[in-house]
Amino acid sequence: MSLRPFRNFAHIDLEFALGGAIIVGANGRGKSNILEAICYQSIGKSIRGSRDHEAIPHGGAHFDIRGNWQEGDRERPCRVFYGTTEGKKVFLDETALTRVSDLVAHFQTVHFAPQDVALVLQFSAQRRRLLDIVLSQADTDYLKALQTYQRLLTQRNHYLRSLGHRSIDTTEAEVWDAQLARPGSYLRHQRLSGLVEMLPDFQRHYKMFSTGEEAASLLYADAPLPPSSEQVPSQEQLEQEFRQQLSDAHEKERHAGHTLSGPHRDSFVFTIDDAAADTYGSQGQQKSVLLSWKMAELQLLERRRNRQPLLLLDDVFSELDPVRSAHLIDMIADFDQVILTAPRQPQEALGDRYARIDLE
Ligand SMILES: Nc1ncnc2c1ncn2[C@@H]1O[C@H](COP(=O)(O)OP(=O)(O)OP(=O)(O)O)[C@@H](O)[C@H]1O
Ligand SMILES: [Mg+2]
């Protein structure tokens, strides 16, 4: 991969061995930036949620990330360019993609960073984002539905605001409801199915991290998940429910001037022994929750895509006790390609297994 330039790098060329690598460098050298650049090639945007222009080196006018992804025997060059005047351009196999989001179908990644723990556990918007990213990578129809939903939501909110003090015309409102309910119910259906599929992996990994003492779980829209995928309500059923939700709230929404229910507001919560992990979990527990979730993401993507995503672990051993670190090292040994970062000389178990890249 070459960054010419990106954030603190004016230019750097990096070669990642097939089995993975460990990037070592002092604080502030750009380890996290490198993982962010890799993610740009996977999801077409910043995994940290920063704006594109923030990744342009200070005083510069563009960033340019080029990589070669190995797909079986095939090498696939990918380039993500962003310029203040040109905007964002993505090239795959030397050809420009029509939409940046088309890139999401190609190279799957799972990214973990310790600073996400607090964010994800604290803010429901961050958890929805987590879920949306993995489900978009698992199925590009999900991303399309999400984009359609967001467009319709903006239009519906605009309609609600345009009403002012006029009373709502039920027939007109129902047209908006019906439009929003179609992609909305698809998203809810995919989220429920995805979560039901991920739950066993998530719980199994959490049990290993917590040495079996506590049980972690997931809630969607304040309710436990259906016990099996057969019991996930059909999309038709969810569509009916969503339309009902919308129509019940017409008066309230007219006052609020925006849509009060739907996948954009649904909560998705991690629990430890039935208590919300954000309010009651210790730091180590919360970190274990997010790591277990990431392991479950990896397995979901592998099943859905028939190949393993690239696992990116940023400074993952900070704050983990020796037992949990050892467990994590064992766990990632099962994965084909892992790129880790560490601020100092890695543990022997890692140093022997992964090619080392030193940032001076
Ligand atoms: N747009 C930018 N232009 C120039 N430098 C930037 C830009 N964005 C971030 N940086 C710099 O990149 C450096 C941080 O890089 P990064 O977060 O990747 O470090 P790190 O190696 O992960 O450090 P740590 O071990 O502390 O996590 C900082 O010095 C920061 O000022
Ligand atoms: Mg860092």
Side-chain angles (χ1 to χ4, degrees):
M1 185 173 71
S2 82
L3 310 178
R4 286 164 193 266
F6 183 76
R7 291 208 186 255
N8 63 318
F9 298 103
H11 55 83
I12 184 171
D13 294 307
L14 297 155
E15 203 59 67
F16 297 111
L18 226 46
I22 180 154
I23 304 170
V24 183
N27 297 136
R29 285 293 153 82
K31 301 180 296 295
S32 302
N33 294 346
I34 292 174
L35 298 192
E36 183 189 28
I38 297 174
C39 287
Y40 253 105
Q41 300 225 317
S42 166
I43 60 171
K45 58 183 182 182
S46 167
I47 189 74
R48 303 181 180 179
S50 25
R51 315 269 299 271
D52 293 322
H53 69 84
E54 291 166 9
I56 294 179
H58 302 316
H62 76 284
F63 70 70
D64 198 353
I65 308 164
R66 294 174 196 242
N68 272 312
W69 293 71
Q70 197 77 32
E71 219 177 66
D73 305 332
R74 197 165 155 218
E75 264 214 351
R76 307 199 64 187
C78 174
R79 177 181 180 202
V80 179
F81 173 93
Y82 177 80
T84 41
T85 48
E86 301 89 335
K88 191 149 60 179
K89 294 195 162 55
V90 176
F91 303 84
L92 184 62
D93 305 324
E94 320 285 352
T95 313
L97 298 182
T98 328
R99 284 168 313 181
V100 174
S101 59
D102 291 341
L103 187 60
V104 177
H106 297 280
F107 314 117
Q108 283 76 46
T109 48
V110 170
H111 175 272
F112 172 88
Q115 62 268 27
D116 289 346
V117 175
L119 275 181
V120 162
L121 272 288
Q122 237 173 336
F123 301 107
S124 66
Q126 292 289 339
R127 292 191 294 276
R128 276 193 295 273
R129 181 169 177 273
L130 196 71
L131 190 56
D132 286 338
I133 290 178
V134 64
L135 294 177
S136 299
Q137 290 200 75
D139 182 352
T140 30
D141 287 343
Y142 184 89
L143 180 57
K144 288 193 191 114
L146 195 61
Q147 289 166 335
T148 309
Y149 180 82
Q150 270 153 357
R151 181 167 45 77
L152 292 167
L153 181 67
T154 309
Q155 291 171 357
R156 188 176 186 273
N157 288 343
H158 186 79
Y159 159 72
L160 289 169
R161 273 195 304 276
S162 75
L163 287 170
H165 294 295
R166 271 187 297 137
S167 62
I168 214 156
D169 170 351
T170 314
T171 332
E172 192 179 32
E174 276 172 359
V175 175
W176 287 105
D177 296 356
Q179 275 194 326
L180 193 66
R182 213 157 305 125
S185 56
Y186 173 82
L187 294 175
R188 278 183 169 163
H189 186 259
Q190 292 299 305
R191 284 182 182 178
L192 283 170
S193 310
L195 288 171
V196 166
E197 191 179 334
M198 290 171 82
L199 183 63
D201 289 327
F202 169 67
Q203 289 181 319
R204 189 165 47 81
H205 285 294
Y206 190 81
K207 246 197 169 60
M208 292 195 276
F209 269 118
S210 66
T211 52
E213 285 152 29
E214 323 132 7
S217 197
L218 305 169
L219 303 178
Y220 188 80
D222 300 321
L225 296 175
S228 71
S229 29
E230 292 81 52
Q231 277 150 289
V232 173
S234 69
Q235 198 189 322
E236 291 70 38
Q237 205 175 331
L238 292 169
E239 189 170 336
Q240 279 312 314
E241 276 173 27
F242 189 17
R243 286 182 66 162
Q244 192 62 49
Q245 252 182 336
L246 290 169
S247 101
D248 288 348
H250 279 165
E251 239 349 90
K252 257 167 97 180
E253 289 186 334
R254 188 177 63 81
H255 283 290
H258 60 262
T259 306
L260 295 170
S261 59
H264 66 294
R265 298 281 288 252
D266 287 348
S267 66
F268 147 51
V269 182
F270 297 105
T271 64
I272 301 171
D273 286 342
D274 297 325
D278 56 334
T279 335
Y280 300 105
S282 74
Q283 257 174 313
Q285 283 175 326
Q286 295 186 349
K287 187 164 182 179
S288 305
V289 162
L290 190 60
L291 271 171
S292 309
W293 168 262
K294 291 291 168 177
M295 295 296 140
E297 278 192 6
L298 219 121
Q299 285 169 303
L300 178 87
L301 290 173
E302 186 174 8
R303 276 194 301 274
R304 296 274 182 96
R305 291 291 188 176
N306 282 320
R307 62 165 182 260
Q308 250 185 34
L310 169 59
L311 177 60
L312 304 166
L313 296 173
D314 198 5
D315 205 3
V316 75
F317 297 103
S318 62
E319 280 172 45
L320 281 186
D321 59 41
V323 176
R324 284 177 167 85
S325 296
H327 174 62
L328 185 66
I329 294 174
D330 280 349
M331 217 153 66
I332 61 176
D334 292 341
F335 299 121
D336 293 339
Q337 207 184 11
V338 187
I339 300 178
L340 303 121
T341 73
R344 62 186 81 81
Q345 180 74 24
Q347 292 101 312
E348 254 171 53
L350 284 171
D352 296 345
R353 191 175 305 140
Y354 299 102
R356 185 166 154 174
I357 296 175
D358 283 293
L359 297 180
E360 32 315 313

